[in-house]
Every structure is written in structure tokens, then in C-alpha cells.
């Protein structure tokens, strides 16, 4: 989009309400760059300028984004505040940069829940949840004049749909632009908006798809289908899998396939530049993208997904293997979408895709300005392909007379061999999905403690506000009554936990229910069991040596389970126990019985479960399933593992993004849910450490936002768009870095004490200390001493010496021998430059042995 600022007929300081001036201004901005609007875009522009709501139910690639930007143009011209919402942070980021280019950095802000930039700007780009929370806090007093809600089909999402419903209910003075390619029947929304807001509603649903799609059913094996697509020059192709594992394995299977010429390879190297690929998955991805092959799924770190999206936008990635994550709005030139199946696991069961899901994925094929036609290829099941091959062979034998004309023998004709429990699909399923429109959207309002806190912060009667939200919602009457009952129970729980208090008289804002005064400004409760967690933390023994880590464990117990991590921890625990049992000569039957009892670490499980049972007697809406003790943050902190070491230890390279997301959720929960009066200095240190850890893993989006605040520091080369700027150097955060170094050295002390030379070798092989070398050091130590102390005085700060030089820290960790001589040590160097580059401590062991006697 071109810069729109010069064509604005009005500004926030000098608003213009003339619809004709707004329309003429936007048309002039398009004419200035040689563009003209499609008829449906012009219809939407006229409606928005006239003050109508607009529902843009038009195909992918038909220019819905232009409609959204035209609406923002109209709002700014009228001096109104405008919000542009999107369902995922990557899409928020993309729209943010587009709008900055159009209106200027001072006019546009961004908010995602993790961070915000220029939050007082007249144009805000945000996730749908941000607008929903604003609507809950401000209601009819909101200053939002217009809201563009992109990918509005998320209204029907069972987990997140509430955020698309709340603004419609709570912002009656706001003008809405609802956009999606897969809305289905929108008559309900037309009637609802007209009744609530006294505005007209214009539905734009007759736009032709600029790039038509063709659909093909493939009975070839998947490798042959891919080769055909490449041979027919129908790349770039997005190969859609329904598991992250399958996506990565397919990409790796294609490694070595020649898809780029020499010039394209050089261009992709220039674009990648010095982008930082970490160990493990990063190295795999680096090798693949240089060959023109991308991977894209939710388990990847955000910086890797964004890299793949940017490279795809350049047209240099000819093959992208992923899940349906690329189906959410990201604008990349894909000519062919190849679906490896029509069935997916939805978290409960494996089922066929519905029409909305299919059209959302298929709609990625073919982009205006890139293609004249988009191709959608659906792969038949493997058993169908095998059946058709056998049937063809059988038919050929019949033609040659090789099949006897015998009824009994004819029964041996091939039949499809569908695996037990498998969900199959057919060409007829594909035909129905192509023909069927998306299913009607169903509402999914829910009530949480966090939503009630937002209502409590609103001026006026919070109870009346809650009643309005529930009984004016789109839910059925039965659902509304159940929600009202739940809201009342939640409010009582907040009162009992001293999160809110009831005043005898209304305050100056007319509120009878308010937050207690000792809560931090950004206090929130995004987990159902947050009040329970606060009560549990408040009950802990303040003199306990494990107070801080127990507080961490309570917060972890109320977070959503990261299943991949927990199963990996359980598998590792079983492996370690199995090795011990075999070494001890335990019989097979007994071994299996003991292994069945092994699970992932669950600190405080018994105490938490007993307390929850009592808590539920007074808070019956609470579900037992919302409590799930686990130890991810606690393990990383106590063992001193870096992010990379944790990922490597549990084989989570394919799920790095899930690990990061969990750590980020834990950080936000600890920072914003634990009241100030329950925080100790040590807990504050842990929260600070966790924040630095999360930022060090992947700061790509945060850095892009900060770069806009300091444009003078921006690079002026093609690769700068792909290259994340350096976050605040870890070496500059000496307090946290010392903490990380102390934990890393202690991890080695514990492994040394338990004689786990294999794990030590995995940690330090890069610095020359492999398993053999560690084993030799252990033998030498244990020739002198019987054990290494790991309790009490062994963790004394006096046993760790850090010599902090400008480029390298020299670290000496003394071992606590039984005689207290402290004449053995593990020594290491910390390379500060490498540490800043990696975002985590980079230690190189230099010596293990007697002090002064190496």
C-alpha cells in the first residue's frame, strides 16, 4: 500500500466528516500509484465513509486488506480512534508495519499482551483479546470509533471466540468492519449489529476470486506428486501436513532436491545474511532454506517462522512443508497448496476437515499479481493409492486372461486395506468440501476471573456490567443463566482471596467493588485457578528454604500443560529408571510395574490436590483438571540448564516454540498474578531471570517494534528485514548473568557428585570435555575423596569465584569435599561476546582438578 497520509482530507486535530471527501481522498491515494479499486472494494469504501458497518465475506486474494485500510483511512479523517485486530502476533506485526508505512510511526501503535508500542496512538493494531479487554474495561465510554476485525471466522473458535464476540456486545457506538474469506451465512450478524447500534450494515459477499482455483485428486505417491508439481512449474507449493513431525520429516526428505538455480541460491544467501540460527532445529532449517525448502508450524520459534514467511514472500522458497498455520492471513505467494490428507486430530479425535477449515487452507493458493490460476491438490490416502495400484494390476491381468473365470478365486480381488482406527477420505469428500459453503459461526462466550477484573476496573456498577455482558450476549438463554451463575461464584472467589473488596459506599467512580490496593498496576488473572494459587502462596511458610521454588511450582501447576515437554520429561525419567533397574538386576515384571508409576516431575502434587479438594467445596465451578503440577521453569532454574541444553536433553528441537511459549506464559503469570505483598527479593530475582531467559531465546518481534522507536539505528540493506536486531545484551545484565553462571556451574557440581560423566560430556564436548575426560577427572577426585557435598554449605557463594573481565569471565567453582579442604575445582571461561550472540551463557570448561595442580 502507498503512503496515505498526504491524501487524508482530515486528521485527529482537524476532523472531516464529509463521506464524499473521504472517498475522494482514498481513491486519489490509489490513483497516485496507478491502482484502481475493485467494484466490491469501492462498495465497501462508500459504506464505511457513510458510517455503515461492513461485513466483507470475500474470497482470499480479493483485497479484503485494502477494505480494512480504507476503513482506517476514514476513521483517521473523522478524528476517530481506530483498532485493527488480528488473531496471531505475526499478522499483527505485519499489519502494524503496513500501517506505519501508510500513516507514519507516530500515528500507529501496537499491543499484543506481551508488549506494547505507542499505545496512545490514534491507530492501534492488536490481537482480538486486546480489543475485547478494552471493551470490558471501558464499555460504552470507550473512545474506539472504528474496529476492523480481520479473520473474523475466529468468532467460532471454542477457545478464543469470546474475544470476537465481546466487542460487538460492549461497544455499541463503534463502527465495525468484519472480514474473512470463510464467514458463511452472516444474516445473524447483520440483524444483531443493526439492532444494537442503530447503524446500517453493508454486506460485501459477491466479489469474484481474482485468481481462480482448480482442484485435483492425486492417486500418485506423495513424492511423485511433489515432483510433478515442480516439473510443471507450479511452485511455490505449500505442502500441508497435520502433524509437526510429518512436516519436518517431509522437508528433510526433500533435502537435496534441486529447486533453486545458482542465482536464486545466491539471492537467498544474501537475504539470510547473518541471521542467527541456533543449534538443533536452527541448523536443520538453515540447511533447508538455503536449498529453497521451508518449514512452518506452531512448534517453531517465532523468529524462524517469521524468517520462513519473509523468504516465502520473496518467492525464493519453492517448497514449504508445514501445518495449517500458514493459512491464517500471512500474505505469501503460493501457487499450489498440496494437502497430504483431509483428516486432522483436533485435540480430542481425528476427524475430517470441515468446509471452513478446507477453504481457509485452500484459499492460500494463487495470489493476484503472481498467478493466473491457483492449484489445490489433495493427496489420496496411502491405502487408497495402494488399492488403486493393485486394482489396476488386477484389471491388466483380466485383459490378458491371467485371471481365472472362477467365482471362488475372484473373491481374491484387491480390497482397500484401511488401518484399524484410521479415518479415511475420498474424492467424493473433496468434491463436497469444494462445493459446500463454510458452516454458520457459533458463539463461544466464556467468563473468567480476568474478565471480571476488567469489569471491576470500569466506572460504575460492575455487577450490572457483568449482567449486561452475559444477558446481551449471543449465547442461548440456558447458556446465559449458566454463565451468570459462574460469574457470581468467580466474584465470590476473588473476594475470598482478597483480590477485590466490597465498599460500603460507592467510590468517586461509582464503584462498589474494587481491586485491593496492594496489587500491582498490571495485575491480571488469566488462569482459572489464579485465586487458588494466590491463596496457596499466601499459606506457604515464609521461613521455608524452598519458599521461592514452591511459589514457582504453584504458578506452574495452574498453567496449561505443554504436553510435548511433559511427555519428554516422563520418557527421560523412565529411561533413567530403567537403566538403574537393569543395573540392579531387577526382574522384568517388577521393572515394568515400577515404570508404569513414573510420570513427569510434579512438585507439591499431594499438597495442591488436597488443598484444591477443600477449595472446590466453596468454589464448585472450579475443575479438577485445571490443576496440573509440573516442573519446567523450576527444573531449568534449579539445574542451571540453558534453554538449548533443556531442549537437547529432552529432544524437543521440533517443539522449541512450545517451550518458549510455556516459559513466556510462566513469566507473565509470575509477574502479573502474584501480588506484590507475596513477593520476596529472591522471587523477584527469579522473575527477572525468567524474563531475561525468554527475551534471550527469541526477541525478534520485540526488536522490530523497538527499531521503530529508534529508526536512526535501522540498517539500510535488503537483509535487515530478516535480521533481528540485538536485544539488550545479556552481558549488560550482570546480576542475572551471574545468577545464570552460578546455576550452570552448580549443575556440573551435581552431575559430578552423582558421577554422571555422560551428561557432563553432552554439556561440554564442544570445549573439549567429553565423557572420557570427565570420567578421568572423577577418577582422580574419588581416589582422594569419597564424595562431593551438595547440601547446605556446598552451595555457599564463597565457593564460587567469578573474575569479571571485559571480554571473558573466569569462573572457579570449588567442590565441597568431606574434609573441607576445598582444594578441587571446576574452572570455566564465559565468553561475553558469544553469550550475547547466543542469548544464553556460553561456558567453556578449562580445567577440573586440584587447585593450582592442573
Amino acid at each position: 500500500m502507498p503512503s496515505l497520509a498526504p491524501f487524508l482530507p482530515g486528521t485527529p486535530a482537524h476532523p472531516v466528516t464529509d463521506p464524499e471527501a473521504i472517498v475522494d481522498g482514498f481513491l486519489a491515494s490509489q490513483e497516485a500509484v496507478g491502482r484502481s479499486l475493485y467494484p466490491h472494494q469501492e462498495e465497501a469504501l462508500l459504506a464505511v465513509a457513510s458510517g455503515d458497518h461492513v461485513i466483507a465475506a470475500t474470497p482470499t486474494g480479493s483485497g479484503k486488506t485494502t477494505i480494512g485500510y480504507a476503513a482506517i483511512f476514514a476513521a483517521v479523517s473523522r478524528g476517530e480512534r481506530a483498532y485493527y485486530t488480528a488473531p496471531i502476533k505475526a499478522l499483527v506485526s505485519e499489519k502494524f508495519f503496513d500501517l506505519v508505512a501508510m500513516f507514519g510511526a507516530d500515528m500507529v501503535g501496537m499491543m499484543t499482551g506481551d508488549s506494547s508500542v505507542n499505545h496512545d496512538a490514534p491507530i492501534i493494531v492488536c490481537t482480538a483479546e486486546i480489543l475485547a479487554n478494552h471493551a470490558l474495561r471501558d464499555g460504552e465510554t470507550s473512545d474506539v470509533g472504528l474496529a476492523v476485525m480481520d479473520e473474523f471466522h475466529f468468532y467460532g473458535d471454542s477457545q478464543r471466540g469470546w474475544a470476537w464476540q465481546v466487542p460487538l456486545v460492549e461497544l455499541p457506538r463503534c463502527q465495525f468492519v468484519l472480514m474473512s474469506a470463510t464467514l458463511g451465512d452472516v444474516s445473524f450478524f447483520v440483524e444483531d449489529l443493526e439492532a444494537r447500534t442503530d447503524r446500517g450494515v453493508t454486506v460485501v459477499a459477491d466479489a469474484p476470486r481474482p485468481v481462480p482455483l482448480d482442484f485435483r485428486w492425486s492417486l500418485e505417491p506423495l513424492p511423485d506428486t511433489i515432483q510433478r508439481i515442480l516439473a510443471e512449474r507450479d511452485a511455490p507449493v505449500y505442502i500441508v501436513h497435520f502433524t509437526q513431525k510429518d512436516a519436518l520429516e517431509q522437508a528433510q526428505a526433500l533435502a537435496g532436491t534441486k529447486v533453486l538455480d545458482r542465482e536464486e541460491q545466491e539471492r537467498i544467501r544474501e537475504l539470510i545474511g547473518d541471521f542467527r540460527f541456533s543449534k538443533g532445529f536452527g541448523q536443520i532449517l538453515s540447511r533447508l532454506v538455503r536449498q529453497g525448502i521451508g518449514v512452518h508450524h506452531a512448534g517453531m520459534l517465532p523468529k524462524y517462522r517469521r524468517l520462513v514467511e519473509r523468504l516465502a514472500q520473496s518467492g525464493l522458497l519453492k517448497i514449504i512443508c508445514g501445518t495449517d498455520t500458514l493459512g491464517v492471513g500471512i500474505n505469501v505467494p503460493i501457487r499450489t497448496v498440496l494437502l497430504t490428507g483431509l483428516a486432522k486430530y483436533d485435540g480430542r479425535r481425528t476427524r475430517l476437515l470441515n468446509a471452513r477449515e478446507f477453504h481457509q487452507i485452500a484459499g492460500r493458493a494463487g495470489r493476484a499479481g503472481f498467478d493466473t490460476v491457483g492449484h489445490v491438490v489433495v493427496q489420496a490416502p496411502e491405502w487408497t493409492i495402494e488399492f488403486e495400484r493393485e486394482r489396476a494390476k488386477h484389471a491388466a491381468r483380466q485383459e490378458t486372461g491371467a485371471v481365472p473365470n472362477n467365482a471362488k478365486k475372484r473373491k481374491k480381488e484387491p480390497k482397500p486395506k484401511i488401518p484399524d482406527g484410521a479415518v479415511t477420505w475420498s474424492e467424493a469428500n473433496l468434491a463436497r468440501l469444494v462445493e459446500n459453503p463454510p458452516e454458520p459461526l457459533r458463539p463461544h462466550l466464556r467468563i473468567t476471573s480476568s474478565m471480571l477484573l476488567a469489569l471491576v476496573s470500569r466506572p460504575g456498577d460492575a455487577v450490572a456490567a457483568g449482567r449486561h455482558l452475559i444477558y446481551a450476549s449471543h449465547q442461548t438463554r440456558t447458556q446465559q443463566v449458566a454463565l451468570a451463575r459462574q460469574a457470581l461464584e468467580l466474584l465470590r472467589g476473588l473476594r475470598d482471596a482478597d483480590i477485590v473488596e466490597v465498599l460500603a459506599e460507592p467510590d468517586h467512580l461509582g464503584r462498589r467493588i474494587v481491586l485491593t490496593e496492594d496489587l500491582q498496576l498490571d495485575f491480571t488473572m488469566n488462569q482459572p485457578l489464579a485465586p487458588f494459587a494466590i491463596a496457596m502462596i499466601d499459606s506457604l511458610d515464609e521461613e521455608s528454604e524452598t519458599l521461592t521454588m514452591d511459589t514457582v511450582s504453584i504458578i506452574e501447576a495452574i498453567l496449561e500443560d505443554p504436553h510435548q515437554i511433559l511427555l519428554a520429561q516422563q520418557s527421560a525419567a523412565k529411561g533413567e529408571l530403567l537403566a538403574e533397574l537393569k543395573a540392579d538386576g531387577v526382574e522384568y515384571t517388577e521393572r515394568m510395574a515400577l515404570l508404569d508409576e513414573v510420570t513427569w516431575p510434579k512438585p507439591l502434587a499431594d499438597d495442591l490436590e488436597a488443598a484444591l479438594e477443600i477449595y472446590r467445596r466453596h468454589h464448585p465451578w472450579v475443575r479438577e483438571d485445571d490443576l496440573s503440577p509440573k516442573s519446567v521453569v523450576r527444573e531449568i532454574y534449579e539445574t542451571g540448564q540453558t534453554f538449548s541444553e533443556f531442549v537437547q536433553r529432552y529432544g524437543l528441537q521440533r517443539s522449541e516454540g512450545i517451550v518458549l511459549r510455556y516459559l513466556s506464559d510462566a513469566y507473565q503469570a509470575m509477574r502479573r498474578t502474584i501480588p506484590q505483598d507475596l513477593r520476596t527479593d529472591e522471587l523477584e530475582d527469579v522473575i527477572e531471570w525468567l524474563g531475561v531467559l525468554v527475551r534471550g531465546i527469541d526477541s525478534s518481534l520485540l526488536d522490530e517494534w523497538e527499531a521503530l522507536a529508534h529508526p536512526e539505528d535501522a540498517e539500510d540493506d535488503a537483509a535487515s528485514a530478516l535480521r533481528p536486531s540485538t536485544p539488550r545484551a545479556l552481558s549488560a545484565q550482570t546480576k542475572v548473568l551471574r545468577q545464570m553462571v552460578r546455576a550452570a556451574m552448580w549443575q556440573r557440581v551435581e552431575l559430578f557428585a552423582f558421577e554422571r560423566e555422560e551428561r557432563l560430556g553432552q554439556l561440554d564436548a564442544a570445549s573439549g570435555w567429553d565423557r572420557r575426560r570427565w570420567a578421568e577427572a572423577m577418577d582422580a577426585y574419588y581416589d582422594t575423596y569419597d564424595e562431593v557435598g551438595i547440601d547446605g554449605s556446598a552451595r555457599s557463594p564463597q565457593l564460587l569465584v567469578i573474575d569479571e573481565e571485559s571480554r571473558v569471565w573466569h569462573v572457579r567453582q570449588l567442590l565441597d569435599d568431606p574434609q573441607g579442604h576445598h582444594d578441587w575445582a571446576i574452572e570455566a571461561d564465559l565468553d561475553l561476546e558469544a553469550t550475547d550472540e547466543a542469548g544464553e551463557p556460553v561456558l567453556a570448561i578449562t580445567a577440573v582438578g586440584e587447585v593450582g595442580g592442573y
Side-chain angles (χ1 to χ4, degrees):
M1 287 290 291
S3 174
L4 302 181
F7 301 94
L8 285 166
T11 65
H14 303 285
V16 168
T17 57
D18 179 14
E20 190 172 334
I22 293 170
V23 171
D24 290 344
F26 191 79
L27 291 176
S29 74
Q30 303 304 295
E31 291 170 3
V33 291
R35 291 180 182 172
S36 58
L37 298 184
Y38 295 125
H40 68 276
Q41 291 174 322
E42 193 162 345
E43 178 188 2
L45 171 61
L46 290 168
V48 167
S50 300
D52 278 5
H53 301 295
V54 170
I55 300 178
T58 62
T60 301
S62 62
K64 286 187 297 298
T65 299
T66 298
I67 293 174
Y69 293 159
I72 300 291
F73 182 93
V76 173
S77 298
R78 294 192 296 245
E80 298 172 346
R81 196 166 197 215
Y83 274 58
Y84 193 115
T85 77
I88 59 175
K89 294 175 186 177
L91 192 53
V92 169
S93 179
E94 179 182 291
K95 301 306 180 187
F96 173 62
F97 290 113
D98 284 352
L99 288 165
V100 166
M102 286 181 240
F103 295 97
D106 60 327
M107 289 285 289
V108 188
M110 175 165 59
M111 300 194 304
T112 66
D114 292 334
S115 296
S116 67
V117 173
N118 199 18
H119 60 85
D120 291 325
I123 303 170
I124 294 294
V125 191
C126 61
T127 54
E129 283 82 0
I130 295 294
L131 177 60
N133 285 325
H134 169 87
L136 291 169
R137 286 194 310 272
D138 289 17
E140 292 191 18
T141 65
S142 166
D143 62 350
V144 180
L146 177 137
V148 178
M149 303 190 76
D150 204 354
E151 305 292 340
F152 187 74
H153 61 273
F154 271 83
Y155 172 96
D157 185 275
S158 60
Q159 298 299 313
R160 300 182 62 197
W162 68 272
W164 277 260
Q165 181 180 171
V166 165
L168 303 183
V169 174
E170 292 295 306
L171 301 177
R173 297 190 298 178
C174 179
Q175 181 184 14
F176 287 100
V177 178
L178 313 179
M179 307 192 305
S180 173
T182 55
L183 287 180
D185 181 7
V186 297
S187 56
F188 168 81
F189 297 104
V190 172
E191 296 170 5
D192 184 72
L193 284 170
E194 286 178 344
R196 289 178 189 275
T197 66
D198 244 5
R199 290 181 190 254
V201 180
T202 297
V203 178
V204 180
D206 57 352
R209 199 179 198 281
V211 180
L213 296 179
D214 63 32
F215 297 87
R216 180 163 67 87
W217 176 254
S218 176
L219 286 167
E220 297 177 301
L222 182 58
D224 295 349
T225 305
I226 296 169
Q227 290 304 320
R228 178 190 289 268
I229 290 169
L230 296 175
E232 294 177 353
R233 298 184 179 277
D234 287 334
V237 53
Y238 190 67
I239 307 176
V240 182
H241 302 78
F242 293 98
T243 71
Q244 298 170 8
K245 176 177 177 289
D246 289 344
L248 180 57
E249 288 180 353
Q250 181 61 67
Q252 291 178 292
L254 290 167
T257 305
K258 185 172 178 55
V259 297
L260 299 180
D261 58 33
R262 185 168 298 178
E263 182 182 345
E264 289 171 327
Q265 289 174 345
E266 182 57 33
R267 284 174 56 205
I268 212 165
R269 274 196 297 269
E270 291 175 0
L271 280 174
I272 292 172
D274 58 0
F275 180 92
R276 192 179 82 201
F277 292 94
S278 304
K279 295 178 182 178
F281 175 79
Q283 294 171 325
I284 296 172
L285 183 65
S286 175
R287 185 172 65 254
L288 289 171
V289 295
R290 294 173 199 278
Q291 298 178 51
I293 301 169
V295 181
H296 194 281
H297 60 70
M300 295 165 58
L301 292 178
K303 66 178 180 181
Y304 293 145
R305 288 204 305 272
R306 188 153 179 77
L307 171 71
V308 170
E309 289 160 8
R310 292 283 185 84
L311 291 175
Q313 286 166 341
S314 74
L316 292 171
L317 291 186
K318 305 301 183 185
I319 301 173
I320 306 173
C321 300
T323 57
D324 54 358
T325 53
L326 203 66
V328 186
I330 303 298
N331 186 18
V332 296
I334 296 169
R335 182 168 296 166
T336 302
V337 168
L338 169 57
L339 289 95
T340 58
L342 291 177
K344 66 179 288 187
Y345 181 71
D346 63 7
R348 294 176 300 170
R349 60 189 176 92
T350 299
R351 58 168 176 79
L352 294 176
L353 298 180
N354 60 42
R356 173 169 289 103
E357 291 166 334
F358 175 78
H359 288 295
Q360 197 67 36
I361 299 169
R364 298 294 107 197
R367 285 287 175 170
F370 295 98
D371 307 308
T372 56
V373 63
H375 307 288
V376 180
V377 182
V378 175
Q379 194 70 16
E382 292 179 6
W383 48 87
T384 300
I385 295 172
E386 181 62 28
F387 165 67
E388 292 296 343
R389 182 187 293 121
E390 291 299 319
R391 191 165 69 169
K393 289 180 182 178
H394 186 80
R397 288 196 298 269
Q398 280 186 319
E399 289 180 8
T400 60
V403 176
N405 186 21
N406 180 293
K408 185 176 182 180
K409 291 186 177 180
R410 278 204 305 271
K411 290 182 180 178
K412 295 183 179 180
E413 291 179 4
K415 295 180 180 180
K417 298 176 182 177
I418 303 174
D420 290 341
V423 174
T424 192
W425 59 94
S426 65
E427 191 170 5
N429 293 127
L430 170 60
R432 283 194 293 271
L433 288 171
V434 171
E435 295 169 3
N436 290 347
E439 300 80 7
L441 292 169
R442 294 174 51 203
H444 293 280
L445 184 65
R446 59 189 178 94
I447 300 296
T448 65
S449 296
S450 181
M451 293 171 70
L452 293 184
L453 293 180
L455 291 174
V456 165
S457 67
R458 179 194 294 190
D461 186 346
V463 174
R467 189 178 296 116
H468 173 267
L469 170 66
I470 292 169
Y471 287 107
S473 72
H474 299 161
Q475 308 304 131
T476 66
R477 185 66 178 180
T478 301
Q479 291 170 333
Q480 290 173 348
V481 171
L483 287 170
R485 188 180 298 115
Q486 182 184 359
L488 184 59
E489 293 294 337
L490 284 170
L491 188 59
R492 288 173 178 160
L494 293 175
R495 182 198 61 194
D496 294 345
D498 293 327
I499 304 301
V500 301
E501 58 181 318
V502 180
L503 304 178
E505 297 292 335
D507 67 5
H508 65 290
L509 295 176
R511 300 178 303 181
R512 288 285 303 274
I513 303 173
V514 298
L515 290 177
T516 53
E517 293 182 357
D518 56 351
L519 298 174
Q520 57 269 35
L521 291 176
D522 61 351
F523 178 82
T524 189
M525 304 177 78
N526 291 325
Q527 288 74 34
L529 282 179
F532 168 76
I534 292 171
M536 282 297 297
I537 294 170
D538 194 27
S539 70
L540 293 176
D541 179 4
E542 295 182 8
E543 303 301 320
S544 170
E545 292 183 357
T546 61
L547 172 64
T548 299
M549 285 298 100
D550 287 348
T551 300
V552 171
S553 291
I554 290 170
I555 292 297
E556 288 202 75
I558 67 170
L559 297 178
E560 186 176 346
D561 281 348
H563 293 289
Q564 291 92 330
I565 303 173
L566 302 184
L567 292 175
Q569 287 179 317
Q570 177 175 277
S571 177
K574 285 188 174 184
E576 291 172 1
L577 177 60
L578 179 60
E580 293 176 10
L581 294 175
K582 283 185 175 180
D584 293 341
V586 178
E587 293 294 328
Y588 174 81
T589 305
E590 187 179 350
R591 288 205 308 260
M592 293 301 101
L594 291 170
L595 288 173
D596 283 342
E597 298 174 5
V598 175
T599 183
W600 55 85
K602 296 183 177 182
L604 306 182
D606 291 342
D607 292 342
L608 287 169
E609 289 165 4
L612 183 64
E613 186 176 346
I614 297 171
Y615 185 81
R616 290 184 70 237
R617 294 172 192 168
H618 304 284
H619 308 84
W621 77 93
V622 170
R623 300 186 312 161
E624 287 182 271
D625 292 347
D626 289 332
L627 181 73
S628 179
K630 47 193 166 290
S631 180
V632 178
V633 175
R634 182 167 184 163
E635 177 182 330
I636 293 173
Y637 186 83
E638 288 188 326
T639 62
Q641 296 175 87
T642 64
F643 177 81
S644 300
E645 290 166 356
F646 183 82
V647 167
Q648 181 183 13
R649 169 167 168 68
Y650 291 113
L652 293 165
Q653 290 84 351
R654 198 175 60 243
S655 304
E656 290 176 322
I658 292 169
V659 182
L660 172 61
R661 196 174 307 125
Y662 177 83
L663 295 177
S664 179
D665 289 346
Y667 170 65
Q668 295 293 350
M670 291 170 63
R671 184 172 68 88
R672 301 176 65 181
T673 301
I674 303 175
Q676 290 287 6
D677 65 333
L678 295 180
R679 299 190 190 191
T680 62
D681 290 343
E682 186 179 352
L683 181 60
E684 293 285 8
D685 288 345
V686 172
I687 294 172
E688 183 181 4
W689 160 80
L690 187 54
V692 171
L693 178 67
V694 168
R695 177 61 184 266
I697 297 165
D698 188 345
S699 59
S700 52
L701 292 180
L702 290 175
D703 292 331
E704 287 184 61
W705 304 339
E706 290 178 359
L708 286 170
H710 303 284
E712 67 277 5
D713 298 332
E715 298 177 77
D716 191 24
D717 62 85
S720 65
L722 291 170
R723 191 178 306 137
S725 57
T726 305
R728 185 187 173 204
L730 186 53
S731 61
Q733 302 175 79
T734 53
K735 178 182 176 183
V736 172
L737 183 54
R738 285 191 207 104
Q739 192 175 348
M740 289 178 165
V741 170
R742 182 177 294 110
M745 296 302 289
W746 183 251
Q747 177 187 11
R748 287 159 173 83
V749 170
E750 287 193 321
L751 292 172
F752 195 95
F754 289 106
E755 300 184 58
R756 292 174 179 163
E757 63 270 21
E758 184 171 351
R759 284 278 293 120
L760 285 164
Q762 292 171 351
L763 287 175
D764 299 310
S767 58
W769 280 80
D770 57 13
R771 175 179 179 172
R772 178 191 59 79
R773 198 167 176 189
W774 273 107
E776 290 173 352
M778 286 180 188
D779 289 343
Y781 176 87
Y782 286 111
D783 283 344
T784 306
Y785 300 111
D786 294 334
E787 60 182 21
V788 176
I790 55 173
D791 296 320
S793 61
R795 302 195 72 143
S796 168
Q798 281 70 39
L799 297 186
L800 178 68
V801 180
I802 302 177
D803 181 10
E804 299 179 10
E805 297 185 1
S806 59
R807 293 180 178 273
V808 178
W809 285 7
H810 302 292
V811 185
R812 172 181 287 180
Q813 174 68 60
L814 295 169
L815 301 181
D816 187 31
D817 58 87
Q819 276 70 50
H821 294 157
H822 301 150
D823 54 355
W824 270 72
I826 301 172
E827 295 197 356
D829 284 346
L830 178 78
D831 185 323
L832 294 182
E833 185 176 341
T835 291
D836 288 340
E837 175 68 18
E840 59 186 28
V842 177
L843 283 164
I845 301 299
T846 57
V848 180
E850 290 186 82
V851 176
Y854 301 124

